[in-house]
Amino acid sequence: MAPRCSCTALLAVSLTVLALLAGLLAPHSAVRWPAVSLAVAAALLPLWGRSLRRRDDGTSRRVCVLVLGDIGRSPRMQYHALSLSKHGYHVTFVGFSETKPHQDVLSEEKITIVPIAELKGVRVGPKVVSYVTKVTVQSLQLLRVLLTMELQAHVLMQNPPGLPSIAVTWFVCLLRGSRFIIDWHNYGYTIMALSHGPAHPIVRLAKWYERFFGPLASHNLCVTNAMKVDLQKNWGIKATTLYDRPASIFRETPLKLQHELFVRLAAVYPQFRHAGSEAERTIFSVRDPADGTVTLRAERPALLLSSTSWTEDEDFSILLTALEGSPARKGPQKEHYMKLIDSLHLEHVEICTPWLEAEDYPLLLGSADLGVCLHKSSSGLDLPMKVVDMFGCCLPVCAVHFNCLDELVKHEENGLIFKDSAELAEQLKTLLSDFPSSDGKLGTFRRNLHSSRGQRWDDNWDQNVLPLITAPR
C-alpha cells in the first residue's frame, strides 16, 4: 500500500494538472481561468513538495537500490542490498523479476523487492517510435514506483542501463530530497554502439544523455580506476572506485558438495553421467557407498567453464574455434551458437550449456578446473564480474584481451590473456596437457590465487561505500 504522504502527493499533482487544463480548455470564459488555475497550482505545489519530503524516524535508515534490469542477473546490486541490510538499513530493491535472486536476498527481512514489469516486444510504428514509446512507459513506471514508496535517504542506481532511469531518478531525488548515487558499471551508449554503430543517432543521443545527467548525481561509484580517470577527465565526474570483489559464497567447493552437484546435473545433462550404471558415480566423481567418502576420478576429464550471457560483447565462437580449429564466425544470440555447437565434430570434448540456480553457480565455479572469459568491454573501462567470481573460487582463467583487463588478470600469475582463438587453443593445450597433475602451470596459478586472496566484498564495501551512506547531510 502506498504511504499516505505519497498518495497526497499524487493527488496534488493530479489536481494541479486538472487546474492547468481547465485554464487551457476555457480561454473565453468570463471567469479568468488562467489566473484561477495558476492560483490553484501555486497553492497545491507547496503541499506536494512538503508531502514528498516528509521525513519520519525511519527515513535515514531507508535506501532504494534500483536497476532497470533483471535483479537476479545483477549480482553487484544484490551485494549492495545485502551490505546495506547488514548495517541495519531497510532496502527497497527495485528491478525486473525475470530470474530468482540469490536466496540470501530473498530471505533477508530488511530487503523488500519491488518488481517492475519489463517491456518486451513493444511495436508501435517505426523502430524509433517504438523506442520512444518504451522509454516513455518505463519513465512513468519508475515515477510511480519512486514517488509512491516511503521516503528514502538514498537511491543507489546501476548504470547501464540508464535510459530513462538516470533522469527519472535524479528528478525524483530532487523533489524528495534523497541523495542520488550512480554505480557506473560501464557506459550505456558504448553497449548500444555494438548493435547500431557509434554514429547512429540513438547512440549519439544516449551519449549526450549520460554526459548531461550523469554529473547531476550526489555521489558516483565505478568499477575500475581506468573508468574513474575517464569519468573525471571527460565527464567532470568525481567517482570512487569500488572494485568487484567475490562474495563469501564464491570459494572452492568441498568434494562432498561437488559430488552432490554433479549428481544433480547428471540427472538432467548426460554430459555429467558416467558410462556405467553406478548411482554413486559421475564422470568427475565417485562416492564410496561403504563409508560415504567422495573422491575425484583419476581418469576424469578437465572441467572447463565459461559463463556467458550470449550478448554482443562476448564472442563465444572464439572458444568454439579454439576447441575445433574451424574458421571464426560471429553472432550475438544464443540460438546462433547452439546451431554452431551442433555442427561441430569435436574429439575428446563434450559441450554442455546448463541453466543453473543462483545457489548452484558458485558451487560449479568452485568445482571447475579452468575458466575462460570471452567478455570484451564495450568501453574498455569495465571488468568482467565472472572473472572476479572465478578468482574467489581460486579458479585460474584464460581471458580475452581488452584495455584495463590487467587491473584484474595478471598474465602468467593468476591466468593467461589471449587475443584470438589460435592463441587460446595453444594456452588450453599447455594448461591441460598434464591434467589432472597439479605440477604444471594450472596448479601454479591456483596456488598463486590461494596466496594472493585480497579483500572480500564486505570489507571492500565497508571501506568505500559505507562512508558515503553515513556522511552527514
Side-chain angles (χ1 to χ4, degrees):
M1 180 178 293
R4 184 177 179 181
C5 64
S6 298
C7 292
T8 304
L10 289 176
L11 178 60
V13 173
S14 302
L15 291 175
T16 301
V17 172
L18 288 173
L20 292 173
L21 285 175
L24 294 174
L25 295 175
H28 304 297
S29 171
V31 181
R32 302 187 64 181
W33 280 107
V36 173
S37 62
L38 288 175
V40 173
L44 290 176
L45 285 176
L47 170 65
W48 179 35
R50 285 195 299 272
S51 64
L52 284 173
R53 289 173 172 258
R54 187 172 298 154
R55 303 175 69 86
D56 56 38
D57 293 340
T59 299
S60 63
R61 306 298 296 176
R62 290 195 292 264
V63 178
C64 173
V65 175
L66 169 64
V67 54
L68 196 62
D70 183 16
I71 290 176
R73 296 182 183 178
S74 305
R76 181 172 165 111
M77 303 312 286
Q78 293 185 59
Y79 298 163
H80 276 305
L82 288 169
S83 294
L84 286 162
S85 68
K86 289 176 182 177
H87 285 277
Y89 288 90
H90 292 269
V91 179
T92 303
F93 202 165
V94 180
F96 303 152
S97 58
E98 183 178 345
T99 57
K100 189 180 75 171
H102 195 275
Q103 188 59 42
D104 289 350
V105 175
L106 296 175
S107 60
E108 174 53 62
E109 293 181 355
K110 292 186 179 67
I111 298 177
T112 301
I113 295 179
V114 177
I116 53 177
E118 181 179 6
L119 298 179
K120 293 183 178 179
V122 177
R123 296 289 182 268
V124 183
K127 287 185 177 179
V128 173
V129 176
S130 297
Y131 189 75
V132 171
T133 302
K134 181 178 180 179
V135 169
T136 302
V137 174
Q138 287 180 331
S139 298
L140 295 175
Q141 281 182 311
L142 282 177
L143 278 172
R144 180 188 64 81
V145 170
L146 295 176
L147 286 174
T148 56
M149 68 172 57
E150 291 182 294
L151 180 58
Q152 310 287 306
H154 306 270
V155 179
L156 172 57
M157 192 207 82
Q158 171 184 314
N159 182 64
L163 186 65
S165 51
I166 297 180
V168 172
T169 306
W170 166 77
F171 176 66
V172 171
C173 287
L174 182 67
L175 289 177
R176 307 200 71 179
S178 303
R179 283 182 175 173
F180 180 27
I181 304 173
I182 299 178
D183 189 5
W184 296 83
H185 296 195
N186 202 344
Y187 297 148
Y189 78 90
T190 64
I191 297 177
M192 297 176 68
L194 294 175
S195 301
H196 303 290
H200 195 282
I202 289 181
V203 176
R204 294 168 64 186
L205 176 63
K207 182 177 182 179
W208 171 87
Y209 168 87
E210 283 185 291
R211 283 179 179 267
F212 181 82
F213 285 101
L216 300 179
S218 307
H219 300 290
N220 293 271
L221 304 170
C222 62
V223 294
T224 64
N225 280 331
M227 180 172 282
K228 175 181 179 179
V229 171
D230 189 79
L231 283 169
Q232 177 67 61
K233 179 180 179 181
N234 297 316
W235 299 55
I237 294 174
K238 184 179 180 181
T240 299
T241 301
L242 178 70
Y243 279 117
D244 283 320
R245 292 286 188 258
S248 58
I249 58 174
F250 290 97
R251 56 186 183 273
E252 289 181 289
T253 305
L255 283 178
K256 182 177 181 294
L257 294 181
Q258 285 190 38
H259 180 70
E260 292 173 356
L261 174 64
F262 293 149
V263 169
R264 289 199 302 275
L265 292 174
V268 182
Y269 304 101
Q271 294 90 340
F272 286 84
R273 297 172 192 162
H274 185 258
S277 59
E278 298 94 337
E280 298 294 331
R281 185 183 295 266
T282 72
I283 195 171
F284 299 104
S285 59
V286 60
R287 179 179 179 274
D288 188 334
D291 59 8
T293 302
V294 174
T295 56
L296 293 176
R297 297 177 62 239
E299 66 278 18
R300 71 185 184 279
L303 178 53
L304 186 151
L305 189 145
S306 182
S307 309
T308 181
S309 50
W310 308 107
T311 52
E312 293 92 338
D313 57 359
E314 291 180 325
D315 186 358
F316 204 72
S317 66
I318 293 176
L319 176 57
L320 300 180
T321 302
L323 294 174
E324 189 196 37
S326 60
R329 286 165 282 181
K330 187 173 182 178
Q333 299 176 348
K334 181 177 180 180
E335 290 76 10
H336 168 86
Y337 291 117
M338 292 299 98
K339 292 179 181 177
L340 184 55
I341 289 172
D342 292 339
S343 70
L344 297 179
H345 302 285
L346 302 174
E347 295 183 8
H348 313 298
V349 176
E350 291 281 351
I351 297 177
C352 181
T353 57
W355 177 260
L356 299 174
E357 294 293 333
E359 291 75 24
D360 283 342
Y361 176 61
L363 295 179
L364 187 59
L365 284 189
S367 306
D369 300 298
L370 177 64
V372 173
C373 177
L374 302 167
H375 171 84
K376 277 191 174 182
S377 171
S378 61
S379 64
L381 299 172
D382 70 311
L383 293 172
M385 183 98 179
K386 62 194 71 179
V387 173
V388 175
D389 297 336
M390 291 175 182
F391 283 171
C393 297
C394 294
L395 179 64
V397 170
C398 293
V400 66
H401 174 269
F402 62 86
N403 291 338
C404 89
L405 181 63
D406 58 357
E407 289 190 38
L408 179 61
V409 180
K410 311 298 181 184
H411 188 66
E412 295 285 357
E413 181 179 329
N414 54 21
L416 298 173
I417 298 174
F418 61 88
K419 294 184 178 179
D420 52 36
S421 57
E423 193 171 5
L424 173 59
E426 288 303 314
Q427 292 177 358
L428 295 179
K429 291 175 184 177
T430 300
L431 294 174
L432 301 176
S433 59
D434 56 355
F435 183 84
S437 171
S438 60
D439 296 332
K441 276 190 175 183
L442 196 60
T444 300
F445 293 162
R446 190 178 287 272
R447 287 189 290 273
N448 289 343
L449 286 167
H450 268 286
S451 61
S452 62
R453 285 180 174 176
Q455 279 184 319
R456 287 282 174 166
W457 171 268
D458 289 338
D459 294 334
N460 189 35
W461 193 92
D462 290 353
Q463 179 180 328
N464 292 287
V465 183
L466 188 59
L468 301 180
I469 300 294
T470 59
R473 298 184 66 83

